[in-house]
Amino acid sequence: MTRPRHQTTDRVRNALIVLNRDLRDCRACHMAGLLDEVESVPIALDPEPDAAAPRILLVGQAPGLRATITDRPFAGAAGEKLRAWFEQGGIPRDDFWRAIHFAAVTRCYPGRLPGAKGDRVPSPREQALCRPWLDELFEIVRPRVVLLVGLLAIRTFLGPVKSLTAVVGTATDRDGVLYIPLPHPSGVSRWLNEPANVAAVAQAMRILKSETAKLD
Ligand code: SF4
């Protein structure tokens, strides 16, 4: 097992634990009539005891159904694919939970999209209600690298991006923070069936690897 070289400072760890405790109590979307009470269960992962300084932050769309059972994002097959990608990006599988801090545009499971295989995209109102949690997390973590997983996360930070194809394999530096767009690793994503798109993900991992080397 590879040990991270920088341990999370007590300041960051304690601030994250307090933030996560408050976040787990959030029922703002339920109070606004946007989620029912059962759905309104925020997923927040406290830092591992020997976590690396979490200067890499991953922002996804919203937790999936499995996360509501495991209380941990990316615990299933999609997470396994992400671990394989990130290994190419310089983050060993054993460090997956220690080297990255996980967040999302909204932190509660939004439910299925009626008549479709995927989950519902959280509404602009839900996104706005949840944004302060994300902003506070950024203030605590002060990430150097932000992995944007899926179009909602990408558009939240990079604006009206036309498609995954337009951005995966690129990186955007804003105020010293490097944003790396990625597709969602889910098996339902047909985008990943195209060899050119697989090559774009590999390029994104080369960028991540070069950044993780600088973080060491
Ligand atoms: S999605 Fe965000 S704002 Fe809405 S209830 Fe969950 S944690 Fe609160």
Side-chain angles (χ1 to χ4, degrees):
M1 183 171 69
T2 307
R3 291 265 162 209
R5 274 164 259 189
H6 303 292
Q7 300 294 299
T8 305
T9 64
D10 285 347
R11 178 196 70 79
V12 172
R13 176 189 305 288
N14 293 339
L16 287 173
I17 288 170
V18 170
L19 173 72
N20 286 346
R21 185 198 61 202
D22 293 346
L23 193 151
R24 287 188 200 103
D25 287 339
C26 180
R27 297 293 181 271
C29 292
H30 171 58
M31 304 295 282
L34 301 167
L35 288 176
D36 70 27
E37 195 167 9
V38 176
E39 288 169 327
S40 194
V41 179
I43 306 299
L45 193 63
D46 286 338
E48 295 279 319
D50 59 349
R55 305 303 297 276
I56 303 175
L57 179 63
L58 182 151
V59 182
Q61 173 171 296
L65 179 59
R66 197 183 172 90
T68 64
I69 299 161
T70 59
D71 201 26
R72 175 175 280 236
F74 296 113
E80 189 46 42
K81 187 174 279 185
L82 215 50
R83 279 186 280 280
W85 288 351
F86 290 171
E87 198 152 52
Q88 294 171 40
I91 300 171
R93 278 166 195 263
D94 286 345
D95 284 350
F96 185 72
W97 298 111
R98 289 193 294 270
I100 302 168
H101 197 83
F102 291 85
V105 176
T106 63
R107 303 297 287 268
C108 292
Y109 173 56
R112 285 283 186 201
L113 185 65
K117 279 186 181 171
D119 292 337
R120 179 178 67 82
V121 177
S123 67
R125 184 91 195 283
E126 290 164 275
Q127 295 173 41
L129 282 171
C130 217
R131 184 61 192 246
W133 295 116
L134 197 49
D135 290 343
E136 198 176 333
L137 183 63
F138 264 72
E139 275 176 32
I140 295 169
V141 172
R142 293 182 208 139
R144 294 256 302 275
V145 176
V146 178
L147 301 162
L148 300 172
V149 176
L151 266 177
L152 181 67
I154 292 168
R155 288 174 175 152
T156 297
F157 287 90
L158 301 184
V161 164
K162 201 169 143 204
S163 65
L164 288 171
T165 309
V167 289
V168 174
T170 70
T172 300
D173 191 326
R174 291 219 176 123
D175 302 324
V177 180
L178 194 73
Y179 293 87
I180 301 177
L182 292 170
H184 192 279
S186 158
V188 300
S189 170
R190 280 175 298 169
W191 190 86
L192 286 165
N193 292 342
E194 289 292 327
N197 296 340
V198 172
V201 172
Q203 171 60 14
M205 290 306 108
R206 281 191 286 277
I207 295 168
L208 176 61
K209 189 167 190 176
S210 138
E211 290 306 307
T212 51
K214 288 182 211 162
L215 291 174
D216 279 348

